[in-house]
Every structure is written in structure tokens, then in C-alpha cells.
Amino acid sequence: MEPYELDALEAVTTRRPRSYEHIFVTSLTPVIGAEVAGVDLSRLTDAQVAEIRTAFLDHHVLVFRDQEITTEDHKRFAGHFGELRPVNPPPPEGDPYVLEIRTSAAAGNVAGNAWHADGTADLEPSLGSMLYITETPEGGSGGDTLFANMHLAYEMLSPAMRGFLDGLTAVHDGAQSFRGYTVPPHYEIPVNEHPLVVRHPETGRPVLYVNQAYTSRVPQLSADESEALLEMLFALVAQRPLLTCRVRWAPGTLVFWDNRCVQHHATYDYYPHTRHGRRVAINGGPLKS
Ligand code: SIN
């Protein structure tokens, strides 16, 4: 490992663990993710919500096990962190804020089976998502979700590369996620340009803000240069387990992740079985470098 890579890792992994009074927090890996115990998401106290907010900013992905919650509980929990984000394109039926994540038997592919953050093609991408899984693949294995720390992806780059990226932007194109699928009628596909390196709005920490599912090009570069750069940046996530944690689901697990600084990848390794959950998302604000 290069010295600047080690420095970045050391800075994250040598932070003193925080102590909590109203929840129990156990890290999943030294760089991302934590399990939160001692809470019932249908009956949270204000003190617990405040500590969950702190843990969320520290760990970026929070896992809550053995929760029995209704859709109203799910939406109320999300509402503590911001305005609920309507599903777009809107679901043909059911609650406009609840995205059904459903893998039917012997599906050809599943939603989210590529590294991405939710809604990055939107002008104001999502703050975070909360996925509550109610059914896992038969036999209890498969269907894990991987999460990657995009602060660290940036911080582990060489100072020269960070300097080069800092002035660039990237186009995020919603059409890329519809490849092979029919675009719903009247749906206006979002395409927006964001800084390639953004600042987390709450912590100010820089984030490498490109992802394979939505980012199409870097407009300041030639087509070949843009393609080569994006390929290199996408590979950082795909080839570096050091940046990631893995969540193994069970029915009743809810995971809350920060779309501003985390990418995730739903693993489709459970053909021909089924999986089901419900996702509620929270609105974010404009992104700034
Ligand atoms: C997603 O939000 O991309 C789906 C994640 C999952 O199904 O684990």
C-alpha cells in the first residue's frame, strides 16, 4: 500500500469509539457500517433518535435487527431525518413513498445489482434510504448487500489525483439504469451534473461522487479521457473490499444508509429463489464541492 493510502486508512481506523447512553453500537468493519441494538423502531425516544443520528454520521450504514414494524412505523422513522422522498417513477399502486423491492422466482436480474447510490441523476439526490427486508431467499443464504465508503475511496487517492479531480464535474444519467427495461410512459428521465468531489452537507468531509450505474461522463475531458478516468474510479469500489462492509439480511432487518457518501450493491446470488422488502427514502439537498 502507498503511504498516502495508509495515512487515509489510519485516520479512519484509529478514531476513538464513541460512547452512547441510549443505544448499543457495534462496528461492522473498521471503516463502514454498524449494528445498532437496544431499540424498537416503532417506539423510539428522542434521545435514541439523537444518538442514531450521530451513529449514522460516524458509520454511514446502520443495521437494526429483529424489528417488527408497520409501513407507518417505517415512514415515521425515516421522517426523523428529513422529508420523505416519493418513489420516482411513481409505483402503479400502493403507497407513493414505499418502493417494493421484490425478486420473483427465477428472475433474470434484480434492482440494485451494480454499485450505485440512489437517485444520483436527480438535481437534489437522496439523503438516505431505509430498506426493511421481510423475506430472504429460501435456505437463508444469499441476497446480501454490500456497502462502500466513498469518503475513504477519495481519501485513499494520491494527492495529485485528488487535486486533479477536485475541479471536475460528472454527468449522472438516469437512462443508464433503464438499459434493457421499458421506461414508464410520461416519465421524464433525470440527467444532471454534479461536482465529481462533493462535500458531505453535514460533516464537510469530501466524497468521491461517481457511480457505475448512473455516471456517464466527465464533460471537461475528451470522450476517451472521460471513459478511462471513470473506469479507473469505478474500479476503486469494485476491486477494494477494504472500503466495504457486507450486510446479511434476515426477515425483520432494517438498514439505513447514507446515499451522500455510500454506494451499495445488491448481490443477486440466490436464483431461483425470492426476496422481498420495502424501501423508504429521504430527500437530500443540493450537492456542493
Ligand atoms: C437498492 O436500494 O439498490 C436495493 C438494495 C437491496 O435490495 O439490497
Side-chain angles (χ1 to χ4, degrees):
M1 214 178 295
E2 302 290 342
Y4 51 82
E5 294 175 306
L6 270 177
D7 286 349
L9 267 174
E10 288 285 310
V12 172
T13 56
T14 54
R15 279 193 312 213
R16 221 151 39 107
R18 207 183 278 276
S19 54
Y20 294 90
E21 287 178 30
H22 305 280
I23 59 177
F24 297 96
V25 177
T26 312
S27 296
L28 287 181
T29 74
V31 306
I32 184 170
E35 295 236 6
V36 179
V39 293
D40 174 347
L41 295 180
S42 67
R43 292 154 19 114
L44 287 170
T45 64
D46 290 348
Q48 286 177 322
V49 172
E51 290 197 344
I52 289 170
R53 184 171 285 115
T54 302
F56 182 62
L57 294 179
D58 280 356
H59 296 278
H60 322 302
V61 176
L62 298 180
V63 180
F64 301 85
R65 301 282 182 191
D66 304 318
Q67 299 295 322
E68 278 185 35
I69 57 166
T70 63
T71 297
E72 287 314 306
D73 296 329
H74 192 164
K75 285 165 49 178
R76 190 176 332 106
F77 180 40
H80 287 298
F81 300 90
E83 191 182 50
L84 297 190
R85 187 175 183 85
V87 176
N88 196 18
E93 55 191 25
D95 192 315
Y97 293 99
V98 178
L99 177 69
E100 298 286 334
I101 302 270
R102 188 184 296 281
T103 309
S104 52
N109 197 1
V110 300
N113 187 18
W115 282 108
H116 67 289
D118 297 328
T120 70
D122 293 339
L123 185 60
E124 296 192 356
S126 149
L127 177 154
S129 303
M130 291 184 176
L131 176 58
Y132 179 57
I133 286 286
T134 53
E135 180 194 330
T136 48
E138 196 184 303
S141 60
D144 297 355
T145 305
L146 309 176
F147 295 90
N149 181 334
M150 299 310 294
H151 290 302
L152 194 55
Y154 173 77
E155 289 157 357
M156 288 182 75
L157 292 168
S158 66
M161 180 54 77
R162 275 184 267 143
F164 172 62
L165 298 180
D166 282 346
L168 301 177
T169 62
V171 176
H172 295 242
D173 185 346
Q176 296 198 165
S177 65
F178 280 102
R179 279 195 192 132
Y181 296 93
T182 312
V183 178
H186 315 301
Y187 176 57
E188 204 172 307
I189 295 179
V191 183
N192 283 288
E193 196 172 322
H194 303 300
L196 200 148
V197 178
V198 303
R199 293 263 160 193
H200 192 286
E202 291 179 76
T203 63
R205 198 172 159 198
V207 182
L208 178 62
Y209 202 75
V210 292
N211 69 83
Q212 189 151 28
Y214 292 110
T215 311
S216 58
R217 67 195 162 85
V218 177
Q220 295 81 13
L221 303 180
S222 71
D224 286 350
E225 289 167 347
S226 166
E227 196 181 320
L229 177 67
L230 289 178
E231 206 171 295
M232 187 273 283
L233 297 176
F234 298 155
L236 288 178
V237 184
Q239 295 170 5
R240 270 227 163 127
L242 204 58
L243 300 174
T244 70
C245 69
R246 167 183 286 267
V247 172
R248 169 156 290 195
W249 300 87
T253 302
L254 182 143
V255 178
F256 177 25
W257 65 84
D258 191 334
N259 280 313
R260 300 165 297 184
C261 60
V262 169
Q263 288 188 29
H264 58 286
H265 186 308
T267 315
Y268 187 36
D269 56 358
Y270 51 93
Y271 180 99
H273 300 301
T274 57
R275 178 176 181 267
H276 178 230
R278 296 190 291 268
R279 197 183 81 189
V280 172
I282 303 155
N283 270 338
L287 294 169
K288 299 199 180 92
S289 51

